[in-house]
Amino acid sequence: MLHSGRTSIGTVATPIDGVYQGFSNLTLHNDDNSDNVYIGGNDVTTANGLTLRKEDTLQFELAPLEQLYVVSGKTGHTVSFLRQTI
């Protein structure tokens, strides 16, 4: 099953597409053309997160009940996602 969407993020860690009971692949795209976003757990910040550069895409394999969070150094930052449940 595929599920896609867009999420507006800001300076507070924001979850991407909820929690699933099974394994899934999550593709995340930074829609912004000027700023990076930072990826991690619920405690992610711009100082400790994995950098997703402007207009780049990363793919993650998530175990059941894992959730990915994203944060930015500004408000109104948009990211797109595509999740494929396995």
Side-chain angles (χ1 to χ4, degrees):
M1 181 171 105
L2 290 175
H3 181 251
S4 62
R6 292 182 120 169
T7 301
S8 181
I9 61 169
T11 58
V12 176
T14 303
I16 301 297
D17 196 34
V19 176
Y20 284 79
Q21 298 297 316
F23 287 93
S24 63
N25 292 321
L26 182 67
T27 302
L28 189 63
H29 178 76
N30 181 356
D31 296 341
D32 198 87
N33 64 5
S34 61
D35 290 306
N36 300 330
V37 295
Y38 303 88
I39 304 163
N42 63 351
D43 63 344
V44 67
T45 68
T46 57
N48 68 10
L50 174 68
T51 303
L52 178 57
R53 299 202 183 280
K54 59 184 179 180
E55 297 184 328
D56 272 356
T57 301
L58 287 175
Q59 186 173 36
F60 300 89
E61 293 180 13
L62 299 178
L65 305 179
E66 281 188 327
Q67 190 165 26
L68 198 65
Y69 288 77
V70 180
V71 69
S72 175
K74 67 178 186 180
T75 58
H77 200 130
T78 303
V79 295
S80 299
F81 64 87
L82 174 67
R83 183 187 295 263
Q84 178 185 22
T85 55
I86 303 170

